[in-house]
Amino acid sequence: MTMIKKLPALAFAVALSLNFVYAQRPQPQTSAPSTSAEPVKGATPSRTIVPESEVVTQHQVTIKGKSVPYKAVTGTLPVWDEDGKPIAGLFYTYYERTDIQNKESRPLVISFNGGPGSASVWMHIAYTGPVVLKIDDEGYPVQPYGYKDNPNSILDVADIVYIDPVNTGYSRSTSKDVPNSKFFGVRADIKYLAEWINTFVTRTNRWASPKYLIGESYGTTRVSGLALELQSNQWMYLNGVILVSPTELGIERSGPVELALRWPYYAATAWYHKALAADLQAKKLQDFLPEVEAFTMKELLPAIAMGSEISDQLRKDIAAKMARYSGISEKVILQNNLDISTNFFWKELLRDKGFTVGRLDSRYRGLDRSDAGDSPDYNAELTSWLHSFTPAINMYIRNELNYKTDLKYNMFGSVSPWDNTGNRTGENLRQAMAQNPYLHLMVQSGYYDGACDYFNAKYSMWQMDPGGKLKSRMSFKGYESGHMMYLRKDDLATGNADIRDFILKSLPAAGVPAKF
């Protein structure tokens, strides 16, 4: 049995065996640890963090019809304080293709998920990594739980490291005496993760490699800030940033702007549930949405901004169009003064059918105790996802990657209170792009995501670059799914293909200088 390597002066515990039923796959070949230190034999099982540990296993996967051999390095690396003492251990999984002779030109993708108290599990075992969940083609759970090879992984073109911030996955602070303010806040999060990335890149000898950050949900806030932090304080320059289902990135959009920008998402969701008029349902979604987007910016936003000054007739005309595009009745829209909150929309759209719709993916339907009310009882999609992911990641890390610990893998960990002050991450990313001609941006959004909706993602891109000077290095990709668009089989393939193309196109030709 492969054990987690113990480094000098660090406590280590031999974990208890856990029995899981999972999909039968070829057993990985385990290599020797990279240092001579051995674990303490006969140690008592413990849930104490080991700030530095490592297990290396050997694997192969077929991607796009070609065999890709790789090693998986699973373990922890320290977060250092100002005095060079470890204050936390971050758990990571690093995949490196092993048949590459020249790592200097091999891209490295650094991957985070969101929350901010969420582990990197979601994109790790459902999107870009070498294995994916066993789920149905639309992303719903199936039993027996498990995972399988990912024929769409980007590991053919880039090595990948998945990082769990403090209190997520197996990552923990080393002591209760370490103040949470070191980790839990927009600026603190960016600062300590940038330092950790420096350590990781140095340890793995990847300073010469083209580097990419990918983040999902709050992970987009994180990587947008990291782009400038790495550049300014670690002197590490990137080739690309990929934002999957991005947040607002600290870009102001309150008042009428906030109320109006929701409407294209409402339209997409209503179209999916066939709640629109026959002429609109007959259109393809991508042909229908530009019509709603134009209405949103040219008619709805100005009308909401007028408030009580709007004429009765114009108010009625606008409400009629809002109803036509959303599946919510004109009467209800007028009763709410043209302001339909997302919570109310998720409850109202299918109220007459006895269902709610999901927040992060509005294709999912839920059942409430009562059809009355202003918001759903629960998030139907998140419950479904935890159903699939939690068994699979625990099985995979322990049985496939041979990392043994009694620490609980936190799908979501406590990061409260989180300090949101000083969030200028959209502007941080703009500055990083302005200062680095090599740096490109791609945004990926699902049309049915109601938490980080696709039209707000477009709006963020417009506001980040109001002068259009960075437009040639920005791109947007939309998918007919939700927050985790990759759970839908078709979008798993398309999304990875888009990332692969983005990486290959953003690599400069040999000798091409970084200048404007």
Side-chain angles (χ1 to χ4, degrees):
M1 180 173 67
T2 303
M3 306 300 294
I4 303 173
K5 183 181 63 181
K6 170 184 170 293
L7 295 172
L10 293 176
F12 175 81
V14 179
L16 295 174
S17 292
L18 297 177
N19 294 318
F20 291 102
V21 178
Y22 69 106
Q24 293 299 311
R25 288 164 42 86
Q27 291 301 302
Q29 298 177 344
T30 305
S31 69
S34 60
T35 74
S36 59
E38 293 295 332
V40 175
K41 295 181 179 180
T44 303
S46 170
R47 285 191 168 188
T48 303
I49 183 66
V50 181
E52 195 161 350
S53 61
E54 183 180 279
V55 173
V56 181
T57 52
Q58 305 292 331
H59 312 259
Q60 66 177 21
V61 62
T62 300
I63 301 173
K64 300 298 180 184
K66 295 182 179 180
S67 179
V68 176
Y70 66 95
K71 70 175 181 181
V73 183
T74 313
T76 52
L77 277 178
V79 175
W80 312 102
D81 68 7
E82 294 81 358
D83 299 321
K85 297 179 180 179
I87 58 173
L90 292 198
F91 181 75
Y92 70 96
T93 304
Y94 171 47
Y95 298 105
E96 182 179 287
R97 185 168 177 169
T98 53
D99 61 348
I100 299 296
Q101 300 300 316
N102 181 9
K103 286 201 300 185
E104 291 182 358
S105 58
R106 172 81 170 164
L108 172 66
V109 173
I110 302 166
S111 183
F112 293 98
N113 273 96
S118 172
S120 65
V121 53
W122 315 100
M123 291 196 292
H124 182 180
I125 62 168
Y127 195 9
T128 52
V131 303
V132 288
L133 291 177
K134 278 194 168 183
I135 49 180
D136 81 352
D137 288 355
E138 291 298 314
Y140 290 89
V142 295
Q143 290 184 330
Y145 303 115
Y147 49 87
K148 58 187 178 181
D149 285 345
N150 183 6
N152 298 294
S153 172
I154 61 170
L155 190 55
D156 58 333
V157 298
D159 298 330
I160 319 164
V161 58
Y162 299 91
I163 304 166
D164 292 335
V166 171
N167 272 11
T168 74
Y170 295 134
S171 300
R172 304 287 192 274
S173 64
T174 56
S175 169
K176 292 181 179 179
D177 296 331
V178 178
N180 288 339
S181 59
K182 291 282 187 181
F183 313 114
F184 301 158
V186 176
R187 290 179 292 182
D189 180 75
I190 290 167
K191 182 179 178 180
Y192 90 82
L193 288 172
E195 291 282 350
W196 188 94
I197 290 170
N198 186 309
T199 299
F200 175 82
V201 168
T202 300
R203 292 281 189 95
T204 54
N205 195 26
R206 299 306 298 264
W207 275 96
S209 300
K211 298 172 192 67
Y212 294 80
L213 296 177
I214 181 171
E216 178 182 84
S217 195
Y218 186 85
T220 63
T221 302
R222 180 174 284 136
V223 301
S224 294
L226 277 169
L228 185 62
E229 179 69 17
L230 286 170
Q231 193 167 293
S232 298
N233 294 316
Q234 305 299 328
W235 312 287
M236 186 182 297
Y237 289 77
L238 304 171
N239 285 68
V241 172
I242 302 161
L243 305 182
V244 181
S245 305
T247 62
E248 295 177 353
L249 306 180
I251 297 170
E252 177 61 35
R253 65 194 76 211
S254 59
V257 173
E258 181 183 12
L259 303 187
L261 292 180
R262 304 166 180 163
W263 228 255
Y265 153 71
Y266 289 170
T269 300
W271 181 91
Y272 176 82
H273 289 288
K274 296 180 171 54
L276 302 178
D279 63 317
L280 297 180
Q281 291 293 162
K283 296 182 178 183
K284 291 182 178 180
L285 181 64
Q286 291 85 350
D287 295 334
F288 165 52
L289 288 178
E291 178 181 336
V292 187
E293 293 174 9
F295 163 72
T296 297
M297 299 305 290
K298 296 177 181 179
E299 299 181 61
L300 180 57
L301 177 54
I304 294 174
M306 291 175 69
S308 63
E309 285 299 299
I310 191 173
S311 69
D312 290 344
Q313 186 59 52
L314 181 55
R315 185 193 303 270
K316 186 173 181 3
D317 291 344
I318 291 293
K321 282 193 175 182
M322 294 171 77
R324 174 169 164 78
Y325 289 139
S326 69
I328 306 297
S329 76
E330 180 181 339
K331 178 180 178 181
V332 167
I333 291 170
L334 287 170
Q335 287 173 339
N336 285 274
N337 297 318
L338 310 185
D339 176 8
I340 301 298
S341 71
T342 49
N343 273 317
F344 184 76
F345 176 79
W346 299 324
K347 183 75 173 184
E348 177 71 13
L349 181 65
L350 300 181
R351 192 192 299 267
D352 61 340
K353 296 181 173 62
F355 294 108
T356 61
V357 298
R359 170 178 174 262
L360 293 163
D361 191 330
S362 295
R363 297 175 303 151
Y364 290 71
R365 300 188 300 184
L367 294 172
D368 279 2
R369 178 181 178 88
S370 171
D371 291 339
D374 293 333
S375 62
D377 291 348
Y378 65 99
N379 293 334
E381 75 298 325
L382 186 56
T383 300
S384 174
W385 295 342
L386 289 168
H387 196 156
S388 306
F389 277 89
T390 310
I393 190 63
N394 281 280
M395 291 151 52
Y396 176 64
I397 291 174
R398 189 173 187 85
N399 300 338
E400 191 86 8
L401 302 182
N402 287 339
Y403 191 90
K404 314 290 186 182
T405 179
D406 276 347
L407 279 171
K408 181 173 70 174
Y409 188 91
N410 284 340
M411 304 291 285
F412 297 101
S414 174
V415 294
S416 180
W418 187 266
D419 183 1
N420 279 308
T421 59
N423 182 357
R424 300 182 71 251
T425 52
E427 172 60 16
N428 294 158
L429 180 54
R430 185 205 66 79
Q431 286 187 41
M433 292 183 71
Q435 296 172 21
N436 178 6
Y438 280 156
L439 183 53
H440 291 69
L441 169 67
M442 181 172 71
V443 173
Q444 295 184 306
S445 290
Y447 294 121
Y448 308 129
D449 181 1
C452 301
D453 71 82
Y454 88 93
F455 197 58
N456 264 285
K458 287 187 174 182
Y459 181 84
S460 291
M461 294 173 69
W462 301 338
Q463 300 308 310
M464 274 177 56
D465 181 35
K469 295 179 180 179
L470 307 176
K471 195 171 184 179
S472 64
R473 288 187 278 145
M474 291 182 168
S475 59
F476 175 87
K477 301 291 183 181
Y479 307 88
E480 290 191 37
S481 42
H483 195 71
M484 294 191 228
M485 71 286 297
Y486 42 83
L487 295 183
R488 181 170 175 261
K489 184 178 179 180
D490 289 348
D491 291 326
L492 172 65
T494 304
N496 274 304
D498 288 338
I499 295 174
R500 184 179 288 104
D501 289 347
F502 173 75
I503 290 172
L504 295 176
K505 290 178 180 177
S506 58
L507 291 172
V512 174
K515 67 178 183 179
F516 294 115

